[in-house]
Amino acid sequence: MRRSAKTHATPKIDIHGVAARARVSIATVSRTINHVPTVDSQLAERVWKAVAELGYFPNTQARALVSGKSKLLGLIVSEITNPFFPELIQEFEQVAVEHGYEILIGSTNYETTKMELCARRMLERKVDGVAIMTFGIEDFLLDRFAVDNIPVVFIDPAPSRPLSSVLAVDYSAGINEGVQHLAVLGHRKIGFISGPLRLRSAESRKAAFLNCLKSAGIKVDLAWMIEGDHTLDGGRDAMQKILALKHLPTAIMCSNDMTAIGVQHALFEAGFKVPEDFSLIGFDDIHLAEYTIPPLTTVRMSCKDLAQNAVGALLSNLDPANIKAGATNKISTRLIVRQTTGLPKNALSDLNSKRPRR
């Protein structure tokens, strides 16, 4: 008679198993996993060792029910197809996870209905705080989260609200470096392709550019001031409008890198070279900017700085002892010089013609 094979069910790994393995109480395991700072360091070390050995994954939903906190941070961006935002999301998630939080992502695509859906999803999931990184002021989002006393952080100035913080980007510093860089090279005919001017960030970048031209003593030609939409196609279309003009600039600054890459494509299609025929500067310094041909000179706005300041501001507003209404965090910008900027066309021949003959 054959002996039946015995089946051995894998025991369920739960908080009781971790407590037994670490030789501590269930309460100690719970406090350790929830990062309560008063837990004895030696006991905490035993708990984390047991967690690693058993491959235990804490039940975040159960923890949320007990603590009243979801340990979720919402992140709302405007356009997921723009490479800047995936880079920002990656940095935001890394910082959030380091602080024991998961993230919930929403993309508005600049549409009111999608903004409403994003807000509803965040509220349904009981997020602890929301970073509104759309680079525009969506009063609906701010008001909706304020009703539920959910901390928010957003980019650029907006009306002050309780439990809110601002990331103030210093657009002027980086754009001024760009204008000065072009001026030193000899450019006096500089155009600008903005983002959609319904966005306050696009208005701010355009205003910074105009102020920098004035400070440098460079005349503004309104024909070279084109409103774009922060997309590749928008950059190409805007540059085609400039190329149709009778008088052309020698350099173009753009409100973001996607626009600048679209400009590069338009110039390539028209048979022009960068920087021999036109110098070009972008804004954002997305990773792709290093790999355009030639590599793009651009103004860097660090996704890492944005993410660290955003998460830090939300966590501060989640701690009653640290709440600072309307707190402002400054985000710096700086010029990254690569290979899309050079002397204006014919500058060397003009210089040689002015030299005295011997």
Side-chain angles (χ1 to χ4, degrees):
M1 188 178 192
R2 293 174 59 188
R3 297 175 62 183
S4 60
K6 292 183 178 181
T7 58
H8 298 279
T10 302
K12 181 180 179 180
I13 300 172
D14 56 17
I15 193 170
H16 296 84
V18 174
R21 183 69 167 249
R23 304 187 311 282
V24 298
S25 68
I26 294 172
T28 298
V29 175
S30 177
R31 290 165 57 217
T32 301
I33 291 173
N34 284 287
H35 301 280
V36 175
T38 55
V39 178
D40 180 83
S41 60
Q42 291 184 343
L43 295 181
E45 184 178 351
R46 278 160 45 187
V47 170
W48 288 121
K49 182 180 179 182
V51 166
E53 291 174 349
L54 294 173
Y56 172 67
F57 295 96
N59 186 328
T60 55
Q61 291 182 332
R63 286 165 57 189
L65 288 173
V66 173
S67 67
K69 299 293 184 181
S70 66
K71 302 300 286 185
L72 267 177
L73 295 179
L75 173 59
I76 299 178
V77 299
S78 53
E79 187 183 1
I80 202 73
T81 57
N82 183 333
F84 174 81
F85 289 107
E87 292 178 21
L88 176 59
I89 290 168
Q90 181 177 346
E91 294 289 349
F92 188 90
E93 181 180 37
Q94 181 172 330
V95 179
V97 168
E98 288 173 357
H99 288 86
Y101 284 80
E102 300 296 329
I103 70 170
L104 181 64
I105 303 166
S107 177
T108 70
N109 201 30
Y110 307 106
E111 297 176 14
T112 303
T113 54
K114 289 190 176 181
M115 292 178 199
E116 294 174 351
L117 288 173
C118 283
R120 183 184 302 173
R121 286 176 56 226
M122 304 282 173
L123 293 167
E124 288 175 350
R125 294 293 300 277
K126 307 287 186 186
V127 294
D128 293 332
V130 180
I132 304 173
M133 313 285 269
T134 54
F135 289 84
I137 299 304
E138 282 76 30
D139 288 335
F140 163 80
L141 292 174
L142 296 176
D143 293 337
R144 187 64 191 89
F145 293 122
V147 169
D148 289 73
N149 293 318
I150 295 176
V152 296
V153 60
F154 47 88
I155 294 176
D156 297 331
S160 179
R161 285 169 169 77
L163 299 176
S164 67
S165 301
V166 177
L167 304 183
V169 180
D170 187 359
Y171 297 113
S172 294
I175 290 176
N176 184 61
E177 287 184 13
V179 170
Q180 292 294 332
H181 173 62
L182 292 173
V184 168
L185 289 171
H187 293 277
R188 296 296 181 272
K189 301 177 181 179
I190 307 173
F192 186 79
I193 300 174
S194 75
L197 294 177
R198 69 180 184 276
L199 299 180
R200 184 167 296 186
S201 62
E203 288 183 350
S204 298
R205 296 177 199 195
K206 179 180 177 180
F209 172 77
L210 292 173
N211 288 334
C212 292
L213 279 192
K214 184 177 180 180
S215 298
I218 298 175
K219 183 179 178 181
V220 177
D221 191 322
L222 295 180
W224 301 334
M225 301 290 295
I226 307 293
E227 181 178 358
D229 62 4
H230 278 168
T231 68
L232 295 170
D233 290 341
R236 181 181 63 185
D237 294 344
M239 192 64 218
Q240 288 173 345
K241 291 178 182 178
I242 292 175
L243 291 176
L245 299 172
K246 183 177 181 181
H247 300 289
L248 299 178
T250 60
I252 302 289
M253 286 195 72
C254 298
S255 187
N256 79 340
D257 287 343
M258 294 296 281
T259 298
I261 295 170
V263 167
Q264 277 186 292
H265 189 73
L267 292 172
F268 171 78
E269 289 180 320
F272 292 103
K273 293 182 178 181
V274 176
E276 291 84 351
D277 298 311
F278 290 90
S279 283
L280 180 62
I281 297 179
F283 193 103
D284 283 341
D285 193 28
I286 60 176
H287 189 55
L288 183 61
E290 294 183 65
Y291 293 92
T292 61
I293 301 176
L296 181 66
T297 294
T298 185
V299 175
R300 175 174 293 171
M301 177 173 58
S302 169
C303 287
K304 186 173 184 178
D305 288 348
L306 286 168
Q308 288 178 337
N309 280 274
V311 174
L314 291 176
L315 296 184
S316 292
N317 276 325
L318 287 170
D319 183 352
N322 292 328
I323 291 177
K324 298 178 182 178
T328 299
N329 303 270
K330 292 185 178 180
I331 306 298
S332 63
T333 61
R334 64 188 179 95
L335 182 69
I336 304 298
V337 178
R338 295 195 178 100
Q339 298 176 37
T340 57
T341 48
L343 299 174
K345 190 175 183 179
N346 300 323
L348 289 176
S349 59
D350 290 344
L351 181 63
N352 289 331
S353 67
K354 293 177 182 178
R355 288 179 177 174
R357 295 181 180 180
R358 295 183 179 179

